[in-house]
Every structure is written in C-alpha cells, then in structure tokens.
Amino acid sequence: MESHTVEKPSVTMLGLGAMGTALARTWLAAGHPLTVWNRTPARAAALAPYGARVADSAAQAVAANTLVVVCLLDDTSVGEVLAGVDLVGRDLVNLTTSTPAQARARATWAHNHGARYLDGGIMAVPPMIGVPGAGGYVFYSGSRELFERHQETLGVPVDTTYVGEDAGFAALHDVALLSAMYGMFAGAAHAFALIRREDIDPAALAPLLADWLVAMIPAVHQTADQLRGGDYTRGVVSTLAMQVAGTPTFLSTAEQQGVSSELLSPYFDLMRRRLAEGGGEEDLTGVIDLLVR
C-alpha cells in the first residue's frame, strides 16, 4: 500500500530553559522533526530520547532547518549565540523577552544577515505550553507573510496572535499587558495588606476581590473608546473630581491600618494633577496623557 504520510515541518530550537524545553517537548510530541541546541549540553541531551536531534553548536542547529526558533535569556544572549552563524535563507523567530527597540534592532540585524524575521512575546508560563484551552498565546510581529507561512507550526505549542508588521509590536503588547498585570498585583497586594492584622481570612477576601476586579473589566474598554474618540467625558459615571475627593479616605484607612500608601499615592498624585489642569468632569483616562512624555 502506498503511503501518503506527509512529514510535518521541521524546527530548530535554540535555548532550552523552562520555556524552551516546554516548546520543544510539545513540537516533538506533535511529530515535528526537531533539532535542539543549548549552552548547557545536558539540557539538549535530555530531549534526545524523545526524538530530538542534538546539535553540537548553534551554527549546526541553524544549518539543519529553515525555521529557527530562539528562546534565550535576553537580547544580548541572542547576539552572542548567533554571532558568526550563517543565517542566510533562515526564518528566524525570536521568542526572547526584549524591549520594542531591541526587537526592531534585532529585525534589522537579522535582515542584514540574510534572514527573515519574526519577533514574539510569550503570554504564558511553561505549564501552559502544549495544554489546549490553558489560555496562553504568543504575540507575533514582523512579516505577515512569514507569520502566515509558519502559523500552523508556531501554533502547535500555544496559540498565536499577530499584531503587526512593526517588529517591535509583539514586545510592546507583551510589556503593556504585563504592566497592567503588575498594576493589578499591586492593587491586590494593598488590599491584602489592609486586612493583614485583622481577624479576616485572606481566603475569604480573595473571591470578593477577584469578582470585583472582573466587574471592573468594562472600564478598560471604555478607556479605549475615550482615547480613540478624544472625549474623556463620554460615558462617565464617577467623575475625576468625585474620585479625587474620595482619595483621602483611602490614604487615611491605610495609615490607620499601619499600611504604606506607596502603591496608591503615585496614582492619586496623577489624578490630582489632572484635576488641577481642569479635567474634573472627565473619567480617569486623562491620567494616561500625563504619563506620555
């Protein structure tokens, strides 16, 4: 009987930390021929029993396949690992965490070395890789044609979201979302600190806090609509003036509970500045313009 089995696209993986290993294992499990390399050889050797081809050098790994995925510590590591490596004709997908400026510079560097380039921002932790429905995904930016060419393969470990031709946009989206995450963590930390010395079970507050944060999600969409339209008073429920008037209560409560206000005060300062500029009838959206230098 004639076989009609089509071999899946092959991949080279450079960098086998926790994330790189998770990506590599998922491609192997899905039947993709995989060549791996890592600065610590033992990490690459550990994948050999699962079918990975272990390269002796980064150059050998890059030479093995057209699609080369890089997941290293930082942008400096990318430059060090690929220094002197022949990249001509390669499709370089860089999943290393970087700034937008670094991503744009790396894209130019890759093009100057004869490679096509995609940058990626991973919105997932290693346990989410290879788990359908876990909610993780990777932002990709750069050549749309290159993204579409490899989208199916790149989507095997985790979902993909393309955000634009500008190579820096994946990193920008990544940092923007993570910045919002840390802001949320800061607010949650302050909330838990307020009850820390009281006879209140943190586990009892947690679902109330989580539900409240979810209830605030529509405000994100309203902010976006106001920024797009330029009218910060549209749809306002609680004006900036009203909210500034309430801030002393938050600061006094923190003081009475023996909690530092350092996570809240900077934002309250911005609110007061916007109010002083005449934004009393606005939503909180005007604070964003104060942040943009």
Side-chain angles (χ1 to χ4, degrees):
M1 179 180 294
E2 184 179 352
S3 173
H4 295 282
T5 301
V6 177
E7 187 175 80
K8 295 183 178 180
S10 57
V11 183
T12 284
M13 183 79 225
L14 302 180
L16 295 169
M19 181 60 74
T21 296
L23 293 168
R25 285 183 176 274
T26 307
W27 273 311
L28 287 168
H32 287 265
L34 185 72
T35 299
V36 297
W37 176 87
N38 192 72
R39 282 175 167 176
T40 303
R43 291 184 178 176
L47 293 173
Y50 300 94
R53 175 190 173 193
V54 179
D56 294 330
S57 66
Q60 185 184 78
V62 170
N65 299 300
T66 299
L67 178 58
V68 178
V69 179
V70 182
C71 189
L72 297 170
L73 177 63
D74 53 25
D75 182 68
T76 298
S77 300
V78 175
E80 292 172 351
V81 166
L82 295 178
V85 174
D86 184 5
L87 296 175
V88 175
R90 295 296 177 263
D91 294 340
L92 186 63
V93 179
N94 185 14
L95 301 184
T96 303
T97 300
S98 65
T99 68
Q102 287 173 330
R104 290 166 182 143
R106 186 59 61 189
T108 299
W109 175 89
H111 293 154
N112 289 341
H113 285 76
R116 295 168 290 271
Y117 186 87
L118 273 180
D119 202 77
I122 304 175
M123 302 303 299
V125 292
M128 300 168 73
I129 303 301
V131 181
Y137 58 92
V138 177
F139 286 123
Y140 286 100
S141 60
S143 167
R144 178 181 289 277
E145 185 276 331
L146 186 60
F147 170 74
E148 292 176 349
R149 183 189 309 169
H150 295 297
Q151 183 177 7
E152 185 174 351
T153 299
L154 295 174
V156 169
V158 63
D159 287 343
T160 63
T161 299
Y162 181 77
V163 290
E165 294 275 350
D166 187 319
F169 277 7
L172 185 56
H173 279 72
D174 179 25
V175 174
L177 266 60
L178 291 176
S179 296
M181 177 193 75
Y182 281 115
M184 180 193 71
F185 286 166
H190 186 85
F192 282 118
L194 289 175
I195 68 161
R196 188 68 173 142
R197 295 175 178 170
E198 302 289 351
D199 187 21
I200 298 175
D201 184 356
L205 180 69
L208 300 174
L209 179 56
D211 289 348
W212 178 248
L213 291 174
V214 170
M216 294 299 102
I217 288 175
V220 173
H221 299 288
Q222 176 154 312
T223 297
D225 289 341
Q226 290 174 346
L227 286 170
R228 175 183 284 178
D231 181 1
Y232 299 170
T233 65
R234 186 175 62 189
V236 174
V237 176
S238 299
T239 65
L240 177 64
M242 182 185 303
Q243 296 197 54
V244 168
T247 58
T249 298
F250 297 99
L251 298 174
S252 295
T253 300
E255 183 178 2
Q256 293 164 16
Q257 294 298 110
V259 172
S260 170
S261 64
E262 61 192 294
L263 293 176
L264 294 183
S265 291
Y267 191 64
F268 288 170
D269 289 344
L270 287 168
M271 290 167 59
R272 286 191 288 270
R273 279 176 54 195
R274 186 66 179 185
L275 178 62
E277 292 179 355
E281 297 304 310
E282 297 176 350
D283 212 327
L284 296 172
T285 306
V287 166
I288 296 168
D289 290 339
L290 297 180
L291 293 173
V292 179
R293 301 184 210 179

